[in-house]
Amino acid sequence: MTADFIDRIFNIFNILGSLSYGEDVTQMEHILQCSRLAQIDGADDALVAAALLHDIGQFLDEAGNAAEKRGIDARHEVTGAAFLRGHFPPAVTEPVRLHVEAKRYLCATEPGYSESLSGASVLSLRLQGGPMNAQEMGDFEKNPYFHEAVRLRRYDDQGKQKEWDVPPLESYRTLLESLLIPAAR
Ligand code: FE
């Protein structure tokens, strides 16, 4: 079972990861840079895994991806977290589910953050509801994985660097296997 689910994830990334991320990097480069940034930041294994897996929802639903391109928010963070749930604990799935909300949160709370976003992120922000209002910010801060979601968001924003040599997907297999919840092993 263990290997099955990890293989399934790796197959999805290997087949679709060469697609453009809509920035200067491919989807594969983006997720590998995000997990590397998490490691450099001293994140625990769960957050490193969340960084690697945060965009899995983009690869699961062709219709959803097409919708996003047509200007409809397909909520890839929700699709991705639902796919991972039951296999990985909330310390992995919750930051994945919340990484778009974290962008809306930072836009509302951090001066200069919105201006630092890439063109693609600014475009999607509008579809995702724009900056949070006060009520939404209060609710978001109560989530037990609020800090992890914000940290993941920063890796997501920074993981778009051209020609950065980072460890390959396969180097994360053991880490991912160690996080699988026992029933799924
Ligand atoms: Fe991302």
Side-chain angles (χ1 to χ4, degrees):
M1 281 300 283
T2 306
D4 284 358
F5 191 62
I6 307 292
D7 279 342
R8 204 168 145 201
I9 292 170
F10 281 15
N11 283 340
I12 292 168
F13 283 150
N14 280 322
I15 293 167
L16 295 170
S18 63
L19 299 175
S20 161
Y21 182 62
E23 319 262 353
D24 291 329
V25 293
T26 64
Q27 286 273 10
M28 179 68 89
E29 287 170 315
H30 172 62
I31 60 167
L32 294 176
Q33 289 188 13
C34 289
S35 48
R36 184 66 191 133
L37 285 162
Q39 288 179 323
I40 292 168
D41 189 43
D44 63 15
D45 285 354
L47 191 52
V48 171
L52 184 73
L53 302 172
H54 77 279
D55 274 340
I56 186 92
Q58 304 258 23
F59 301 85
L60 297 173
D61 178 3
E62 259 308 305
N65 260 326
E68 251 168 46
K69 289 193 183 88
R70 285 202 316 272
I72 301 160
D73 181 13
R75 309 233 42 205
H76 76 274
E77 72 282 13
V78 175
T79 313
F83 174 74
L84 299 170
R85 205 168 293 132
H87 298 276
F88 290 105
V92 176
T93 61
E94 280 295 275
V96 171
R97 185 177 69 83
L98 296 168
H99 81 276
V100 170
E101 291 296 278
K103 177 170 75 171
R104 298 185 57 228
Y105 176 82
L106 285 168
C107 283
T109 55
E110 192 167 283
Y113 177 79
S114 316
E115 292 73 23
S116 74
L117 289 174
S118 67
S121 278
V122 171
L123 266 184
S124 57
L125 172 68
R126 206 160 37 85
L127 297 173
Q128 290 154 349
M132 281 186 176
N133 63 35
Q135 171 74 48
E136 290 170 324
M137 279 156 44
D139 290 345
F140 186 62
E141 286 167 1
K142 287 192 200 112
N143 189 291
Y145 294 99
F146 151 65
H147 289 291
E148 288 77 8
V150 169
R151 286 175 74 181
L152 172 52
R153 184 70 230 177
R154 296 196 194 280
Y155 312 143
D156 195 6
D157 293 332
Q158 291 161 22
K160 303 171 180 181
Q161 297 168 37
K162 271 192 225 175
E163 294 172 37
W164 180 23
D165 208 12
V166 289
L169 184 58
E170 196 57 44
S171 69
Y172 294 98
R173 183 180 290 274
T174 310
L175 180 146
L176 292 177
E177 283 179 356
S178 75
L179 289 163
L180 283 172
I181 58 178
R185 285 184 193 194

